[in-house]
Amino acid sequence: MNPQKFYPLNLRDLNEPLIDHAEGQFFLNEAFKIIMEEVLSNGTDVKQKVCEWKEPEELALLLDLGVRETGEPRDKLLQRVRDVAKYSVKTSHPHFFNQQYGGVDYHSLAGRFLTEALNTNLFTYEAAPVFVLMENEVLRGLRQLVGWTEGDGIFCPGGSTSNMYAMNLARYQRFPEVKSQGVWALPRLSIFTSPESHYSVKKGAAFLGIGLDNVIFVKVDDRGRLIPEDLDEKIELSKSQGAVPFLVSCMSGTTVQGVFDPLDHIADICDKHKLWMHVDACWGGSVLFSKKHRHLMKGVDRANSVAWNPHKMLVAGLQCSALLLKDTTNLLKQCHSANATYLFQQDKFYDVNLDIGDKSVQCSRKVDCLKLWLMWKAVGSMGLEERVDKAFIHARYLVEQMKKREGFQLLSMVISYIFHKPEFVNVCFWFIPPSLRGKEGTEDYQEKLAKVAPVIKERMMKQGTMMVGYQPLGNKVNFFRVTVFSPLLSQKDMDFFLDEIERLGKDL
């Protein structure tokens, strides 16, 4: 068989590496200069745009996304790096309010760069000795803030996965035979949560074969907090209908309104019915660093599991998502292990308990602890507490300024008819343009109001001035939700936000 059919004629000497280290390192240095300039300098400058909006067809042409058989020269590749940076949303920008992540911590970012350079797979001590020990220590520190002196945990690829892990662990603890026999051997199970909970509860129920119809939504009060009495009633009703309740998933910081469920009361009911209590604190968990605000999660120490995303309020960088467990029986490993003998040999020369890979449903698992560890080392718990407290101050300043301006209507005032300070750092509001003021009782008012936020969002995106999200909720038409937590923010940014909403919406 002719080998030329398989190898190019200009194949290098087999004694030479295919990668030119000198050229590769030069390219990396030049690319890094572009990253520093476009992403970390321009991308955090309030005088620069948050985004450079292009329609999809135009953007695809600008980026020339197709791949080819032959490579490109260095200069062209560096221009591609610059283009990717230029046309990407600058999530570190002080005026990026769109999601519950954003801003930048430079110590964490250094950890992220180092993580990428080391390219470590976190599954065995022999492959990742530093990070096995580091992950254990970081998880221990987070568990202490929850109030547990012992326990377990793992970093997961996002809060949704953490919530699904908790669901799977709760089911396995109650019915360990599910691992070998599958769901056909189980009774009909039921899960209880708030209608304000994250959609991953429904996704997890579908993914694990529990079924969407068996996710039971518990009533909430006028501020969106789960009502314990209704939870108790619905558990009893589910039992009477032949189902087996096994999990309550409650919220500490809902996505839209930033609501905290009454954990102590929920824990009483979980104890009564012997149910696994999971706390989705992906958004709100960082209040545990704050002496002023940790009361919002009173009772969290009574939970069985907690999901917490430091990449959100602590600005550890995507992704950094921890699942924390009170369990001390090695439930994670029992539930998820497959005992792959090519990885987890039991006759190794070190303590095989340090091979943590079988706790995960993944094989390849990225190092997510380093970015948090390095940031925590840099600023300490006191520095992280200061960030949390400052975020609350910014949110309350924003609300006070809204009350002074015509056209800003806070969701909290409409829901309960009494003004409440925001419980967390989510500020939800409608902007009422001049043309709609004083017309609240008219027949088409809600229909017209629903169109305001989408138009303002389109204008800000196309002008690149800032980004903030909007959504409907129940019977409430589209309103804005701004979350303020980036350590780069100042009160000037809060004032700019309000001014920009007014500028973009004054003619509607």
Side-chain angles (χ1 to χ4, degrees):
M1 190 175 290
N2 187 349
Q4 290 186 359
K5 291 184 178 179
F6 300 94
Y7 300 104
L9 292 173
N10 62 344
L11 181 68
R12 299 182 186 187
D13 190 315
L14 292 177
N15 290 320
E16 294 295 325
L18 281 173
I19 292 178
D20 183 330
H21 286 289
E23 169 61 25
Q25 289 173 10
F26 181 86
F27 173 81
L28 185 60
N29 285 332
E30 294 302 304
F32 192 74
K33 290 176 186 177
I34 295 171
I35 293 169
M36 292 297 292
E37 176 188 350
E38 293 289 344
V39 179
L40 299 176
S41 180
N42 295 342
T44 58
D45 184 351
V46 293
K47 297 176 183 177
Q48 302 289 330
K49 291 183 176 182
V50 177
C51 62
E52 190 77 41
W53 177 260
K54 301 292 179 186
E55 294 297 332
E57 297 81 4
E58 182 185 4
L59 183 59
L61 287 173
L62 282 168
L63 296 175
D64 186 19
L65 293 172
V67 292
R68 300 174 179 87
E69 288 196 12
T70 57
E72 296 180 337
R74 179 205 303 159
D75 289 348
K76 196 165 187 177
L77 288 173
L78 290 172
Q79 183 58 47
R80 297 208 183 283
V81 173
R82 190 175 295 277
D83 288 344
V84 168
K86 178 180 179 179
Y87 295 113
S88 291
V89 173
K90 308 305 185 296
T91 62
S92 296
H93 196 288
H95 300 158
F96 176 81
F97 304 104
N98 209 59
Q99 263 81 39
Q100 294 161 324
Y101 67 88
V104 62
D105 177 276
Y106 292 100
H107 302 101
S108 171
L109 185 58
R112 290 152 70 189
F113 286 148
L114 182 54
T115 296
E116 292 299 326
L118 288 169
N119 195 35
T120 304
N121 193 339
L122 187 48
F123 51 13
T124 63
Y125 183 76
E126 63 187 271
V130 171
F131 299 122
V132 166
L133 299 180
M134 184 184 291
E135 180 170 275
N136 285 339
E137 183 58 29
V138 172
L139 290 169
R140 185 188 67 81
L142 295 175
R143 284 196 305 269
Q144 284 185 333
L145 290 165
V146 171
W148 299 333
T149 56
E150 296 180 289
D152 202 353
I154 193 169
F155 278 89
C156 296
S160 292
T161 304
S162 297
N163 289 337
M164 291 181 195
Y165 267 39
M167 200 177 294
N168 199 38
L169 290 166
R171 181 176 66 175
Y172 176 81
Q173 185 192 57
R174 186 74 175 268
F175 299 102
E177 62 270 25
V178 69
K179 185 175 179 180
S180 57
Q181 299 178 35
V183 294
W184 72 272
L186 303 183
R188 180 164 63 89
L189 304 179
S190 54
I191 295 167
F192 302 83
T193 193
S194 154
E196 305 258 335
S197 65
H198 193 259
Y199 62 80
S200 58
V201 176
K202 293 193 290 186
K203 282 195 171 189
F207 184 74
L208 294 171
I210 294 163
L212 295 177
D213 291 347
N214 296 310
V215 178
I216 298 170
F217 291 106
V218 179
K219 291 178 183 177
V220 295
D221 63 19
D222 62 354
R223 296 181 67 178
R225 297 172 297 189
L226 185 146
I227 299 173
E229 293 77 13
D230 190 60
L231 172 63
D232 194 26
E233 290 176 13
K234 282 191 164 63
I235 292 170
E236 293 288 5
L237 178 62
S238 181
K239 288 179 178 179
S240 71
Q241 294 172 340
V244 177
F246 78 105
L247 172 77
V248 176
S249 183
C250 38
M251 297 299 300
S252 283
T254 56
T255 303
V256 177
Q257 297 189 82
V259 172
F260 289 75
D261 286 335
L263 302 183
D264 245 344
H265 296 304
I266 294 170
D268 290 339
I269 293 167
C270 289
D271 287 347
K272 172 184 173 182
H273 295 281
K274 295 182 171 55
L275 306 186
W276 182 289
M277 176 179 170
H278 174 63
V279 179
D280 179 351
C282 290
W283 176 218
S286 297
V287 300
L288 293 173
F289 276 100
S290 171
K291 299 179 188 68
K292 292 180 182 178
H293 303 293
R294 63 175 296 121
H295 66 87
L296 292 168
M297 291 183 65
K298 183 178 182 295
V300 67
D301 56 304
R302 299 176 63 188
N304 298 93
S305 55
V306 176
W308 182 355
N309 287 2
H311 70 238
K312 293 188 174 179
M313 196 173 195
L314 297 182
V315 198
L318 288 165
Q319 59 194 15
C320 189
S321 305
L323 173 67
L324 308 174
L325 299 171
K326 185 187 288 185
D327 174 74
T328 58
T329 67
N330 214 11
L331 189 67
L332 261 174
K333 187 173 181 180
Q334 292 175 44
C335 182
H336 295 148
S337 64
N339 302 312
T341 55
Y342 75 96
L343 278 177
F344 307 116
Q345 304 92 339
Q346 297 303 296
D347 54 358
K348 291 184 178 182
F349 62 93
Y350 58 83
D351 182 359
V352 295
N353 290 315
L354 293 169
D355 288 352
I356 58 176
D358 243 1
K359 291 181 178 183
S360 169
V361 297
Q362 302 165 256
C363 179
S364 299
R365 188 163 68 94
K366 194 177 183 69
V367 173
D368 289 328
C369 59
L370 174 57
K371 65 196 85 170
L372 176 56
W373 177 83
L374 198 58
M375 180 178 70
W376 203 339
K377 280 284 193 180
V379 303
S381 296
M382 291 177 64
L384 296 176
E385 177 181 25
E386 185 178 19
R387 291 184 186 185
V388 173
D389 291 345
K390 188 176 180 181
F392 276 83
I393 292 169
H394 281 324
R396 288 172 182 177
Y397 173 81
L398 194 60
V399 166
E400 290 303 318
Q401 295 305 306
M402 284 183 181
K403 290 164 61 182
K404 297 175 184 177
R405 299 193 186 208
E406 192 175 5
F408 290 89
Q409 186 175 38
L410 289 151
L411 192 70
S412 59
M413 297 182 74
V414 172
I415 290 173
S416 58
Y417 306 101
I418 318 174
F419 173 70
H420 294 292
K421 287 182 179 179
E423 187 171 38
F424 195 30
V425 298
N426 303 42
V427 180
C428 299
F429 68 96
W430 289 277
F431 178 70
I432 316 297
S435 66
L436 288 179
R437 292 172 195 168
K439 299 180 180 179
E440 288 79 2
T442 57
E443 184 177 348
D444 59 351
Y445 176 80
Q446 291 295 321
E447 182 183 351
K448 289 181 176 180
L449 181 59
K451 297 175 181 178
V452 172
V455 173
I456 292 177
K457 176 66 178 280
E458 179 181 1
R459 290 177 175 183
M460 71 174 69
M461 290 287 294
K462 290 185 174 179
Q463 295 177 33
T465 54
M466 69 179 185
M467 286 179 63
V468 63
Y470 72 87
Q471 63 283 301
L473 182 67
N475 62 355
K476 300 168 191 66
V477 299
N478 288 325
F479 57 88
F480 288 110
R481 178 210 63 175
V482 57
T483 54
V484 289
F485 58 90
S486 167
L488 300 181
L489 291 175
S490 67
Q491 285 191 354
K492 289 181 180 178
D493 298 307
M494 304 296 99
D495 294 333
F496 172 85
F497 175 82
L498 297 173
D499 292 343
E500 189 66 4
I501 291 288
E502 288 180 331
R503 184 186 74 83
L504 293 167
K506 64 184 178 182
D507 65 331
L508 295 180

